[in-house]
């Protein structure tokens, strides 16, 4: 996130929880079986536990996962599991408390560790750690994270820093993200826009086209390979 903060989306443009659930219900009728809640940070969304509950009850949905920074997970893990959340991915780039604070703009590393423990206790497993590799990443940080995950029984995935505007991305190390040949994912934005690919400037809003038509248009526009996206940033589209 930029040091100066971000411009928030106008509230009247944001889909309600019920609207999100309806988009997913119609998506399930078209064959969607897996949902992942990302962000921004999904745990700051008011009513997130209720949203998970509504999604998990949609006929045809087999898995509801979440990618989170983990800071609020200690508070919500048990309730999320009861609501139907299947598992979590947690973003964590360093185990150095000061570096963590600098990367996350004053975040507390211990909050994330408590969140990991709470997720394990709640049964939100397997827990995967998402680590972004940048040119400035320190080898000792990477090694420490690998050892931490081995000790804690966590999976770790390394994601090379990406650039939407230049189209610079690669396959996730330890995962399938970034592998365009097998990608069948669509992304629903908070304002109702369905994007066929992170690295695409195209999007089709359910409010403009209707839900089913927006899905079909997004599927039809899915590229053989991601290119660029100049109208979004990772902090507002989700990584």
């Amino acid at each position: 996130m930029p040091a100066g903060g971000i411009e928030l989306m106008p509230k009247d443009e944001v889909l309600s929880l019920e609207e999100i659930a309806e988009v997913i219900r119609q998506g399930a009728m078209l064959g969607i079986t897996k949902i992942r809640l990302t962000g921004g940070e999904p745990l700051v969304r008011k009513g997130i536990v209720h949203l998970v509950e509504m999604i998990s009850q949609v006929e045809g949905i087999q898995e509801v996962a979440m990618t989170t920074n983990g800071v609020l997970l200690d508070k919500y893990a048990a309730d999320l599991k009861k609501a139907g959340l299947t598992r979590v991915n947690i973003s964590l780039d360093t185990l150095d408390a000061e570096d963590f604070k600098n990367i996350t703009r004053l975040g507390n590393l211990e909050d994330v560790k408590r969140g990991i423990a709470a997720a394990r206790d709640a049964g939100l497993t397997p827990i995967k750690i998402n680590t972004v590799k940048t040119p400035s990443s320190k080898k000792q940080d990477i090694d420490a994270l690998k050892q931490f995950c081995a000790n804690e029984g966590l999976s770790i995935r390394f994601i090379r820093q990406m650039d939407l505007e230049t189209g610079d991305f690669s396959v996730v190390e330890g995962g399938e993200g970034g592998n365009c040949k097998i990608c069948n994912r669509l992304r629903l934005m908070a304002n109702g826009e369905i994007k066929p690919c992170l690295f695409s400037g195209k999007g089709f809003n359910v409010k403009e086209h209707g839900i089913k038509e927006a899905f079909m248009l997004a599927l039809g526009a899915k590229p053989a390979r991601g290119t660029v996206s100049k109208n979004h940033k990772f902090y507002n589209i989700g990584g």
Side-chain angles (χ1 to χ4, degrees), residues 53-67:
E53 183 178 27
M54 286 192 290
I55 294 171
S56 69
Q57 292 175 355
V58 171
E59 184 176 354
I61 297 301
Q62 300 171 6
E63 178 179 286
V64 185
M66 178 182 289
T67 298

Side-chain angles (χ1 to χ4, degrees), residues 172-194:
V172 172
E173 180 184 334
E176 296 180 345
N179 188 344
C180 297
K181 292 181 180 179
I182 63 171
C183 180
N184 61 356
R185 301 173 184 177
L186 297 175
R187 184 169 298 257
L188 175 66
M189 302 280 289
N191 65 353
E193 181 180 328
I194 298 178

Side-chain angles (χ1 to χ4, degrees), residues 6-11:
I6 62 173
E7 182 179 353
L8 297 178
M9 184 179 293
K11 189 174 181 179

Side-chain angles (χ1 to χ4, degrees), residues 71-119:
V71 172
L72 297 174
L73 198 51
D74 182 29
K75 176 181 178 181
Y76 287 110
D79 288 339
L80 287 168
K81 179 64 176 180
K82 291 177 184 176
L85 193 69
T86 311
R87 58 188 179 86
V88 291
N89 286 22
I90 298 171
S91 302
L92 182 60
D93 297 333
T94 180
L95 290 174
D96 182 283
E98 284 303 312
D99 286 346
F100 181 87
K101 185 181 294 185
N102 292 331
I103 291 170
T104 60
R105 314 294 182 199
L106 303 178
N108 186 340
L109 178 62
E110 293 306 311
D111 289 339
V112 180
K113 289 183 176 180
R114 283 190 289 270
I116 292 171

Side-chain angles (χ1 to χ4, degrees), residues 6-71:
I6 62 173
E7 182 179 353
L8 297 178
M9 184 179 293
K11 189 174 181 179
D12 61 356
E13 293 183 14
V14 177
L15 293 181
S16 68
L17 302 184
E18 291 73 20
E19 287 173 325
I20 295 170
E22 178 59 20
V23 172
I24 291 171
R25 187 186 70 81
Q26 293 198 36
M29 293 173 65
L30 295 172
I32 291 174
T33 61
K34 296 181 180 181
I35 300 295
R36 174 170 294 278
L37 300 170
T38 64
E41 170 50 44
L43 292 181
V44 301
R45 176 68 190 255
K46 186 177 180 180
I48 185 64
V49 174
H50 181 48
L51 176 60
V52 169
E53 183 178 27
M54 286 192 290
I55 294 171
S56 69
Q57 292 175 355
V58 171
E59 184 176 354
I61 297 301
Q62 300 171 6
E63 178 179 286
V64 185
M66 178 182 289
T67 298
T68 170
N69 61 27
V71 172

Side-chain angles (χ1 to χ4, degrees), residues 103-194:
I103 291 170
T104 60
R105 314 294 182 199
L106 303 178
N108 186 340
L109 178 62
E110 293 306 311
D111 289 339
V112 180
K113 289 183 176 180
R114 283 190 289 270
I116 292 171
R120 182 192 293 111
D121 291 344
L124 293 172
T125 56
I127 299 170
K128 296 181 180 180
I129 301 299
N130 290 351
T131 299
V132 175
K133 276 186 176 180
T134 72
S136 61
S137 293
K138 303 172 185 176
K139 183 179 184 301
Q140 59 264 37
D141 279 346
I142 300 299
D143 291 343
L145 281 163
K146 287 181 178 179
Q147 189 60 56
F148 172 75
C149 289
N151 293 344
E152 298 294 326
L154 312 173
S155 300
I156 188 166
R157 311 182 325 149
F158 292 102
I159 304 168
R160 186 163 62 85
Q161 190 173 32
M162 304 178 188
D163 190 320
L164 290 172
E165 292 192 3
T166 64
D168 183 23
F169 68 95
S170 62
V171 177
V172 172
E173 180 184 334
E176 296 180 345
N179 188 344
C180 297
K181 292 181 180 179
I182 63 171
C183 180
N184 61 356
R185 301 173 184 177
L186 297 175
R187 184 169 298 257
L188 175 66
M189 302 280 289
N191 65 353
E193 181 180 328
I194 298 178

